[in-house]
Amino acid sequence: TQGYSSAASDVYKRQPMHDIWNPWHGCTKKSEGCKHCYMYFLDKQRGGDGSRIYKVKNNFEYPLSKDKNGRYKIKSGEHIRVCMTSDFFLEEADKWREDAWKIMHKRSDVVFILITKRPERIAQVFPSDWGDGYENVQLNVTCENQQRADERIPILFNLPFKHKGIVAAPFIGSVSIKEYIPAGQIEQVIAGGENYDGSRPLNYEWVKQLYDECVGADITFCFMETGTNFIKDGKTYHMPSKRTQSIMAYKSGLQFSGKPIDFKLSSCEQAGLFDDEDKHIKFFSDYCQTCGYRILCNGCSQCGQCRE
């Protein structure tokens, strides 16, 4: 968080960074959901340019990093969100992606979650050993409104991934997935409002509709945050604090644990990888109890910052 303003650094202090892997940074804006991109905002806060795309050399092999005892820092069973400050399928990253695929394949004991606005590019950039998908990789497409849902979900359904989901974030328009549910391919839905520059409002009724559709189909639904501006019962609530947004999302009751996703994880080259010492065990601090993202979170990093 060095060099960020207090508002920007709050995002990184209050999220479990141990569950994020950013092998490259920077992006080009793709659709209306990108208009007020949080990454562009945060980069600007530290004098950077979000459109500058580069390989993060000191973080590229993060999933393979080990502690002083030679054990992986990322434990077996952890869920790692990939490219949260870029897009894994960005054209400019084609030269780095093959090595990233190899890392995910090597850590077959860890779940890697990819989120993209570019599903139309994916079929041409699979690794040679992909087959019908790696067991430990999940693909989520961003559906910020109905137009993008109708554009991206059909592409998602035609791609060979073992696990698939939807992210309605930034949630800037009503989204219904009821016509797509019968295909049985959607395993998880995440929703969240917009932040920082612009902050288009999120309407409670949009979230409730998507929640109801997921509950009816036994699909896990996570309402992670309200966004800066949230409309409920005709009243707009302005909440700049990410912590407040998360609490309000939790208090809405719009969280649902549906049918568990069956990730068939396997041990890689390290013997005993799934033994207790190497297996991830979730820990939730008091701070975590009212977090909107808890339903999907790896657990607290135990950094202690929430007590400061």
Side-chain angles (χ1 to χ4, degrees), residues 8-182:
S9 64
D10 181 66
V11 178
Y12 294 103
K13 284 183 179 180
R14 301 308 184 188
Q15 292 191 18
M17 291 300 291
H18 68 292
D19 72 351
I20 293 175
W21 173 36
N22 292 323
W24 46 86
H25 182 95
C27 200
T28 56
K29 295 188 177 183
K30 174 69 172 175
S31 60
E32 54 273 23
C34 305
K35 184 176 181 180
H36 304 302
C37 176
Y38 70 91
M39 183 272 294
Y40 271 67
F41 175 85
L42 296 176
D43 274 11
K44 185 177 180 180
Q45 290 292 301
R46 61 175 181 177
D49 179 2
S51 65
R52 186 172 77 87
I53 300 163
Y54 58 91
K55 180 180 180 180
V56 184
K57 294 180 180 179
N58 64 351
N59 196 55
F60 192 84
E61 295 190 347
Y62 168 58
L64 303 180
S65 61
K66 297 182 178 181
D67 61 23
K68 62 182 180 181
N69 296 316
R71 297 183 179 278
Y72 284 122
K73 292 181 180 179
I74 296 177
K75 302 300 183 182
S76 293
E78 285 204 57
H79 289 207
I80 305 299
R81 294 177 286 165
V82 183
C83 280
M84 298 305 292
T85 59
S86 186
D87 189 314
F88 189 74
F89 297 102
L90 193 69
E91 184 176 1
E92 289 82 351
D94 285 353
K95 54 186 172 292
W96 309 312
R97 192 177 303 100
E98 183 177 354
D99 288 335
W101 283 128
K102 290 178 180 177
I103 291 171
M104 286 186 268
H105 186 59
K106 186 171 185 178
R107 288 305 310 270
S108 56
D109 59 312
V110 171
V111 174
F112 293 92
I113 301 170
L114 311 180
I115 303 172
T116 188
K117 288 182 173 68
R118 295 168 170 81
E120 72 281 355
R121 296 201 72 245
I122 299 177
Q124 47 187 305
V125 297
F126 280 125
S128 59
D129 62 351
W130 184 257
D132 59 355
Y134 293 166
E135 290 284 356
N136 64 323
V137 175
Q138 175 180 328
L139 176 67
N140 293 339
V141 293
T142 302
C143 300
E144 61 260 47
N145 55 28
Q146 193 65 52
Q147 176 187 351
R148 300 306 173 185
D150 293 338
E151 170 190 308
R152 294 169 183 156
I153 294 176
I155 299 175
L156 172 70
F157 283 1
N158 286 322
L159 290 168
F161 279 84
K162 296 286 190 181
H163 307 288
K164 302 175 183 179
I166 290 169
V167 177
F171 206 165
I172 59 174
S174 177
V175 173
S176 172
I177 61 170
K178 60 183 179 182
E179 70 175 273
Y180 300 110
I181 287 175

Side-chain angles (χ1 to χ4, degrees), residues 243 283-290 306:
R243 172 61 175 160
F283 170 81
F284 291 106
S285 70
D286 291 342
Y287 185 88
C288 301
Q289 303 310 311
T290 55
C306 60

